[in-house]
Amino acid sequence: MAAADAPVPELQPRAATCAEQLLRADRVLLASHIDADGLTSAGVAALALQRANVPFEAVFEKQLDRTSIAAIANCDYETVLFTDFGSGQLDIIAEHEAAGDFVPVIADHHQPADADTEHHLNPLLEGIDGASELSGAGASYLLARELAARSSADERLVNRDLAALAVVGAVGDMQASSGQLHGANRAIVADGVEAGVLNEMKDLAVYGKQTRPLPKLLEYASDVRIPGITNDERGSISFLDGLDVDTHTDGEWRRWVDLTDEEKQTLASALVRHAVSRGVPAFKIDRLVGTSYLLTEETPGTELRDASEFSTLLNATARYERADVGLAVCLGDRGSAFDRAKELLRNHRRNLSEGIQWVEEHGVTQTERLQWFDAGDEIRETIVGIIAGMSMGADGVSRDRPIIAFASKNDDETKVSGRATGPLVDAGLDLSIVIGDAARAVGGDGGGHDIAAGATIPRGEETAFIEHADRIAGEQLG
Ligand code: C5P
Ligand code: C5P
Ligand code: ZN
């Protein structure tokens, strides 16, 4: 593939170097992260390796650190492909490389550590934002395109169909802002549309349009809070009853996906009028409309049709130690793995809503620049970051300062998750530095993105961590 045909030309040379190394390998160990972006990264890479006839095995890690990298080295693979992590731990990986343990190939979008390696694909190395313009799955997709370009003469196998999974990863990493994807992600969307696997359309920007019955769709839509509807089951039902739209089929509530375009329009307009009449400001009402990314080969009305629902389904597997289930779904299983994933999703949803409720009930502690809570054993460490993010804007949790969450990891260690907002990042905040530096100051380690970062610290160091983090955030925000 010439650079001119590459979806993201700036990254083509790096993607090519990585692809060449993988094609030289007899077999590859594929290591990836346990969230939606990590799973789709692995799915894209696995399908591309399969199609290129490179044997591989996949492993998933909660976090890449000295211990997990040593375990990977012990698997005895000459070539290790890291997706959706690796850059942040490049210092440790480089030590293994120097010792001859394995040759690393990295397709990631996290802030790189201070070291380098030959096969390293990361948007941040070419001035592309890793938090908002390209995800791990996007990096993996660029690699997949280069693998195809080097291993197959068959036009059908250029791997552009994998753009659908890459978009699920980007959406799962919350890279859409102002209602849509930006930057390099847009080039991937364009590939998917051209390949006939993706469709983008302006639609109501509310989670669950494929699967939720209408009252639940409205009641649970909490991004834009609408009095009398948000978190109000009876209000949502009476709003729907007042519309000139058939809300039931055979006695069952219809879903958004079941409505005709005209019915959707009627409902959306009524919702906007209701919001205006309840005093919701115009800038928030604008957020009710956004771009939906639909996977055209998936069945309408399923958890896989819309990228946002697909990504939640994946988080419901890998964050509960069932990455195997999520990966199987990414690879095309629509039977037992998909059924299992749907069961796991029910559990995940319950945990999210209970977690947010816990934060609302227990509240957060404010420091000069931050707000924080310590969930101890009450919230699973693998989802405490999602809950921290979702709770911003809930009762008693401000959107004007970053939020830091603690959850216990084991007897000796505490998991830290931090989340910020676009305006805070624009004002100079970089949580990957705040959290990474504060963690290292108390004997832990961490990193991530400007808008979302995490760490592991020794148990008992939480107060000291907050003091450091508060000071660093203060320096950044001036
Ligand atoms: O490890 P990884 O890069 O895949 O995870 C990124 C994390 O950052 C996700 O948990 C995602 O939800 C979070 N994020 C966020 N807000 C954004 C962008 C990303 O909370 N605007
Ligand atoms: O775990 P959490 O969802 O809070 O992670 C937020 C971001 O920080 C993710 O992109 C994750 O990969 C990154 N992170 C990291 N090092 C850690 C923990 C999280 O780079 N020790
Ligand atoms: Zn990611």
Side-chain angles (χ1 to χ4, degrees), residues 33 35-38 41 83-85 108-110 130 134-137 169 172-173 175 449:
H33 193 208
D35 66 0
D37 189 33
S41 299
T83 59
D84 195 35
F85 57 23
D108 188 12
H109 67 135
H110 290 92
L134 194 73
S135 70
D173 259 9
Q175 298 209 325
H449 310 288

Side-chain angles (χ1 to χ4, degrees), residues 35 140 157-158 167 182 220 226 279 315 330 348 399 419 443:
D35 66 0
S140 196
L157 297 181
V158 292
V167 166
H182 302 275
Y220 294 155
I226 306 177
N315 276 322
C330 288
H348 179 49
R399 288 188 64 81
R419 294 292 186 272

Side-chain angles (χ1 to χ4, degrees), residues 141 160-161 163-164 167 187-199 296:
Y141 174 75
R160 280 193 317 186
D161 58 322
V167 166
I188 299 178
V189 171
D191 265 13
V193 171
E194 222 176 293
V197 295
L198 273 177
N199 204 343
T296 54

Side-chain angles (χ1 to χ4, degrees), residues 24-223:
R24 273 195 292 273
D26 294 331
R27 52 184 203 133
V28 169
L29 182 64
L30 165 58
S32 196
H33 193 208
I34 57 140
D35 66 0
D37 189 33
L39 273 176
T40 48
S41 299
V44 167
L47 287 163
L49 289 170
Q50 232 166 51
R51 291 173 184 183
N53 294 316
V54 179
F56 67 91
E57 188 189 347
V59 294
F60 289 87
E61 301 287 345
K62 254 190 228 174
Q63 250 126 48
L64 210 53
D65 53 24
R66 202 165 273 289
T67 315
S68 51
I69 296 170
I72 285 168
N74 272 332
C75 292
D76 242 12
Y77 277 76
E78 249 174 62
T79 301
V80 180
L81 169 58
F82 295 91
T83 59
D84 195 35
F85 57 23
S87 297
Q89 301 75 24
L90 203 51
D91 43 351
I92 305 169
I93 290 173
E95 288 171 21
H96 281 276
E97 182 177 19
D101 294 343
F102 56 76
V103 178
V105 178
I106 301 175
D108 188 12
H109 67 135
H110 290 92
Q111 197 58 54
D114 201 10
D116 206 5
T117 188
E118 196 183 342
H119 316 105
H120 189 194
L121 170 57
N122 184 318
L124 292 157
L125 300 171
E126 303 297 341
I128 296 172
D129 187 356
S132 65
E133 297 183 315
L134 194 73
S135 70
S140 196
Y141 174 75
L142 300 181
L143 174 60
R145 292 289 314 269
E146 292 299 321
L147 278 169
R150 278 165 183 71
S151 61
S152 160
D154 186 338
E155 249 310 292
R156 287 175 302 124
L157 297 181
V158 292
N159 284 341
R160 280 193 317 186
D161 58 322
L162 303 182
L165 276 180
V167 166
V168 173
V171 169
D173 259 9
M174 297 184 58
Q175 298 209 325
S177 62
S178 310
Q180 59 177 342
L181 291 171
H182 302 275
N185 281 321
R186 291 218 50 78
I188 299 178
V189 171
D191 265 13
V193 171
E194 222 176 293
V197 295
L198 273 177
N199 204 343
E200 51 175 340
M201 55 192 279
K202 284 265 171 269
D203 205 347
L204 190 68
V206 164
Y207 178 84
K209 292 192 291 290
Q210 297 289 325
T211 58
R212 283 188 169 156
L214 286 170
K216 296 284 171 216
L217 181 78
L218 298 178
E219 177 190 344
Y220 294 155
S222 53
D223 259 10

Side-chain angles (χ1 to χ4, degrees), residues 178-180 199-211 214 217-218 223-224 255-269 271-272 284-295 300-301 305-309:
S178 310
Q180 59 177 342
N199 204 343
E200 51 175 340
M201 55 192 279
K202 284 265 171 269
D203 205 347
L204 190 68
V206 164
Y207 178 84
K209 292 192 291 290
Q210 297 289 325
T211 58
L214 286 170
L217 181 78
L218 298 178
D223 259 10
V224 179
R255 301 161 300 182
W256 181 260
V257 66
D258 302 320
L259 303 181
T260 64
D261 286 348
E262 201 181 326
E263 288 169 330
K264 286 178 184 167
Q265 192 56 53
T266 305
L267 199 162
S269 307
L271 191 64
V272 168
K284 286 196 179 167
I285 289 176
D286 287 347
R287 296 216 306 258
L288 284 170
V289 176
T291 301
S292 288
Y293 298 94
L294 298 181
L295 282 74
R305 178 75 169 181
D306 185 297
S308 72
E309 293 193 59

